[in-house]
Amino acid sequence: ATMKINDVIRTKRLELGMTQEQLASVFGVHRATLARAIQHLKQEAIIACFTCRRVEIIDMERLRHMAHL
C-alpha cells in the first residue's frame, strides 16, 4: 500500500522499497552523491536510518527546512 504524506509525518517513517542506486536514478544523481547526502543527514541527526526498506526521520522540521517546504 502506498503511504500518504500524513502517515509519513505521523510515523516519521517513509517506506521506500528501492535501493540507493534506484533512488539516485530517480533523482538523476550518482549513487555516491546520494550516499554522501544520506551520511550528512545522519550526521546532522535529521535521519536515523536509511535502508532500501525505509527512512526513519528524527527531525521532520529540519528536514522540511532543508527541502524549503
Side-chain angles (χ1 to χ4, degrees):
T2 303
M3 290 190 77
K4 296 180 181 175
I5 191 69
N6 290 339
D7 292 336
V8 173
I9 292 168
R10 182 179 49 79
T11 63
K12 294 188 176 184
R13 287 188 179 181
L14 174 63
E15 303 296 326
L16 289 178
M18 64 177 71
T19 65
Q20 283 187 16
E21 188 71 38
Q22 292 167 323
L23 191 58
S25 179
V26 168
F27 288 132
V29 299
H30 292 283
R31 192 203 60 75
T33 302
L34 177 65
R36 283 192 299 273
I38 292 166
Q39 188 62 32
H40 176 74
L41 292 172
K42 286 180 179 179
Q43 289 172 347
E44 292 293 317
I46 294 172
I47 64 172
C49 174
F50 189 107
T51 68
C52 64
R53 293 183 177 237
R54 72 176 186 273
V55 176
E56 291 183 25
I57 303 163
I58 297 170
D59 193 334
M60 184 68 76
E61 198 54 42
R62 285 182 62 207
L63 184 59
R64 281 187 187 140
H65 180 73
M66 289 182 79
H68 304 291
L69 296 176

